[in-house]
Amino acid sequence: MTVPLAPTPLDPAVLAGPVWVVAPHPDDEALGCGGLLAALGEAEREVWALLLSDGGASHPASPACSRERLAAARLAEWRSGLAALGVPAERTRTLGLPDGELSRHGEALTRGARTALGEAPPGTLLLPWARDPHPDHRAAWTPLLRAARAFPGVRMLAYTVWLEERGGPEDSPRPGETRPLTLNVQPWRAAKRRAIQAHRTQLGPLPGLSPGFVLPASLLARALGGTETYHEFRPTEEQ
């Protein structure tokens, strides 16, 4: 029987740069990686961010806010949140694929990610876990692995957003599938909180932006808890 590995403390200083974080939606990087990004920013490390979707599907029933307007607002929130973590706007890239439909745009995702990453070939890549329980997060996995093949030696760490909230045992990494790493986010919790708070459209009702999606209080509490967990892995040839 394969025994699950005990988590290893993650030292941000040992991560090879540049470090890239890939977010399917605006706010995923803040929720899943905000502490680590803040630590890297504090150390003045080179961090880049890639946003896959336009984020425009979170409030489809809001009569006063078009999808285009919402997407523009969420892009501004994304860059504001990243700035709170030390990632400047000039090191952000976006693909603008349709929110909620990444499974239909795998080839475009691979091409776009490969091009973006090529601007500053990554030493470390942070990406959403393969079975994180959101369709867009799952759909991003294989296209991103294909894009990463262009950068031999890149270290890959998967983060989770919805796994603890919505996932089952079958969604978690299996024993031996990944190497778990944990980061104590206490020194950077304030910066992570500011980054999450930048995403106003996702935190509660706003004038002209209701009804729609709101991040669960339980998820926010967990995101601002004591640790972040990452799952280091090495892709197989089949992936």
Side-chain angles (χ1 to χ4, degrees):
M1 181 178 68
T2 302
V3 178
L5 294 174
T8 300
L10 173 61
D11 180 1
V14 306
L15 295 181
V19 177
W20 277 85
V21 58
V22 180
H25 313 96
D27 74 14
D28 287 328
E29 76 298 322
L31 294 165
C33 307
L36 178 55
L37 297 179
L40 294 167
E42 182 180 273
E44 299 184 346
R45 299 288 305 280
E46 183 180 353
V47 180
W48 293 69
L50 174 63
L51 177 61
L52 302 182
S53 81
D54 63 7
S58 64
H59 292 67
S62 299
C65 187
S66 68
R67 181 176 180 128
E68 292 75 16
R69 180 183 172 192
L70 178 59
R74 296 203 67 191
L75 178 59
E77 291 174 346
W78 183 63
R79 287 182 170 145
S80 178
L82 284 166
L85 300 172
V87 183
E90 58 266 26
R91 292 208 298 263
T92 65
R93 298 293 183 268
T94 64
L95 299 189
L97 298 171
D99 185 2
E101 301 179 22
L102 293 189
S103 63
R104 298 173 55 189
H105 298 274
E107 291 186 9
L109 197 163
T110 295
R111 290 195 304 270
R114 186 184 298 123
T115 298
L117 297 174
E119 295 186 50
T124 303
L125 181 62
L126 310 176
L127 70 165
W129 167 238
R131 296 187 293 277
D132 200 45
H134 187 293
D136 279 345
H137 293 206
R138 296 185 179 205
W141 179 257
T142 297
L144 287 174
L145 295 192
R146 290 172 178 163
R149 290 174 187 166
F151 309 98
V154 62
R155 186 177 183 185
M156 297 192 195
L157 276 63
Y159 65 90
T160 65
V161 176
W162 293 102
L163 183 63
E164 294 79 8
E165 189 76 16
R166 298 178 177 175
E170 69 280 4
D171 300 315
S172 297
R174 305 178 186 100
E177 187 177 13
T178 68
R179 177 191 179 209
L181 305 168
T182 58
L183 176 73
N184 175 12
V185 302
Q186 179 60 41
W188 306 283
R189 186 178 292 166
K192 182 172 183 177
R193 180 179 290 108
R194 289 194 297 273
I196 292 173
Q197 290 175 340
H199 297 274
R200 284 291 297 118
T201 60
Q202 309 301 295
L203 295 176
L206 293 174
L209 197 63
S210 182
F213 173 78
V214 176
L215 286 165
S218 55
L219 187 152
L220 294 173
R222 187 176 295 109
L224 291 169
T227 61
E228 289 174 352
T229 299
Y230 297 88
H231 300 281
E232 185 171 12
F233 68 96
R234 294 181 179 178
T236 65
E237 292 183 0
E238 292 77 23
Q239 290 177 311

